[in-house]
Amino acid sequence: MKIKSMVLLLLLGSATVMAQEDKSVNLSVEARGDYQRTSVDGETLKDECGFKGNLVNLKLDGNISRDFSYGYRQRLNGINKDKTFFDATDWLYLNYQATENLALSAGKNVVLVGGWEFEAAPIDCYFLSEFCYNFACYQWGGSVIVNTTDKKDDLTFQLCQSPFQKHYTATTGKSADMYSFSLMWHGRHGFFEPLWSVNMMEYEPGKYINYIALGSKFHVGNRMQIDFDYMNRAVSGHAFWGRDCTVIGRVSVQPSDKLNLFVKASYDVNQTDKTADACVLNGTEVTRVGAGFEYFPLGNNKVRLHGNYCYSFGKNTNPGGTLQDKLSIFDFGVSWRVKLL
């Protein structure tokens, strides 16, 4: 607790000094609490029921100069005896806008894997696919971003630490230097907004698992969005089309400025007889369906009430996995975002 308090006071002091020099500094706190009821095959899991704190984040971003900007997000509830300070840092990066169409970024950031489920911030996630729960999505590295002149397309190349480096060390007892290579395309062309990537990630030193992740968002008018994500996973020499993949669909509708309704389904499968995929283990075939609402009483995201229900069924061979056969979750909660500077 003392560490968290010291960090908060230090950041508040630093941001105040910087704000006097540059009015673009933004400092905010966001938090979420939930009431949850969880059961498996009708049997209540008492340890996963009741009122619970979900997360609390400290966010800082702004400009150092015309060409340099930065971003920082720290999970204050993520520092414990099993995690270091930087383990609980989601991102901490510096951006350099070299030209109108070229930017460079270095630090800790999101691993660039396509798909709209993967794009959402943790505070905005209610129930996810099995893949997403098991992927270490924040890593240290660097990126090169190329923007088209019309600002309709971004192409980003990223080199970072492999998300599976710690998993490899934990399972083998060996330390290793492992990397990930990603190429992502984000565009907006009328009603179609793609978020696609190709990825190569070391799951063992010198051995790569490859992703083709195709996230597509369709904007139907101003009050409806349809997301469809498809991710195929494979190793060299084996395509595995449809045998190791995740498919996600989501439909969101906003009847008014204060209300969002959504339905969502995900399907994770791995029938490859290979051990390369550490996120969806071989022998898994599990589906999750659910629906929910978000209500914004102020007409913005400063205060949000939410409620949702999800149900999963199928087989998950990961003993530590999240989705289970006949798993049912009711969740209600409130989120708030407070801008300090």
Side-chain angles (χ1 to χ4, degrees), residues 30-292:
E30 58 183 16
R32 174 179 151 191
D34 295 66
Y35 175 80
Q36 187 170 295
R37 299 293 297 178
T38 304
S39 63
V40 176
D41 197 12
E43 182 178 349
T44 300
L45 303 181
K46 295 182 180 180
D47 291 342
E48 298 184 29
C49 295
F51 293 99
K52 298 180 181 294
N54 188 289
L55 57 78
V56 55
N57 292 334
L58 187 69
K59 296 175 64 178
L60 179 67
D61 61 76
N63 297 321
I64 298 174
S65 68
R66 185 185 65 177
D67 300 325
F68 286 94
S69 61
Y70 60 91
Y72 171 55
R73 187 173 77 192
Q74 185 76 33
R75 296 196 198 195
L76 299 182
N77 61 309
I79 305 173
N80 55 48
K81 65 183 179 63
D82 299 319
K83 290 185 177 181
T84 68
F85 180 86
F86 283 117
D87 285 334
T89 302
D90 285 346
W91 63 66
L92 177 61
Y93 60 82
L94 179 68
N95 288 341
Y96 170 57
Q97 192 69 40
T99 69
E100 181 182 356
N101 305 107
L102 178 66
L104 307 175
S105 181
K108 191 175 187 182
N109 214 324
V110 179
V111 181
L112 296 181
V113 175
W116 288 102
E117 178 185 62
F118 201 70
E119 183 71 6
I123 197 172
D124 299 322
C125 296
Y126 306 118
F127 51 91
L128 302 168
S129 64
E130 179 66 16
F131 170 84
C132 206
Y133 283 114
N134 298 307
F135 187 78
C137 62
Y138 302 109
Q139 299 294 332
W140 295 92
S143 301
V144 178
I145 306 103
V146 179
N147 312 112
T148 57
T149 302
D150 60 9
K151 305 302 180 183
K152 291 184 177 181
D153 298 278
D154 300 332
L155 193 65
T156 305
F157 172 76
Q158 180 187 65
L159 169 63
C160 66
Q161 294 296 125
S162 172
F164 305 113
Q165 182 171 336
K166 288 187 177 181
H167 173 79
Y168 174 79
T169 299
T171 54
T172 66
K174 303 176 183 178
S175 60
D177 194 16
M178 296 160 55
Y179 295 95
S180 170
F181 305 87
S182 301
L183 182 64
M184 174 178 280
W185 169 46
H186 176 218
R188 178 68 188 267
H189 299 273
F191 67 90
F192 176 53
E193 187 175 2
L195 191 62
W196 295 4
S197 74
V198 291
N199 310 85
M200 291 178 57
M201 303 180 186
E202 285 185 282
Y203 66 92
E204 294 181 8
K207 296 183 179 180
Y208 292 85
I209 185 167
N210 308 319
Y211 298 169
I212 296 177
L214 308 176
S216 300
K217 183 185 291 288
F218 301 93
H219 298 266
V220 184
N222 295 323
R223 294 192 178 274
M224 182 175 181
Q225 303 82 38
I226 301 174
D227 299 350
F228 179 77
D229 295 344
Y230 176 77
M231 172 190 286
N232 193 79
R233 298 177 288 270
V235 295
S236 300
H238 301 273
F240 296 160
W241 287 106
R243 296 170 57 200
D244 187 3
C245 66
T246 294
V247 183
I248 302 164
R250 174 180 166 126
V251 179
S252 302
V253 179
Q254 299 80 45
S256 71
D257 292 338
K258 295 184 177 182
L259 182 63
N260 178 50
L261 307 174
F262 64 90
V263 294
K264 179 181 176 182
S266 66
Y267 172 72
D268 296 276
V269 63
N270 183 350
Q271 302 292 346
T272 63
D273 297 324
K274 303 291 182 182
T275 60
D277 191 348
C279 295
V280 180
L281 302 190
N282 180 48
T284 293
E285 187 171 6
V286 62
T287 301
R288 169 176 266 182
V289 294

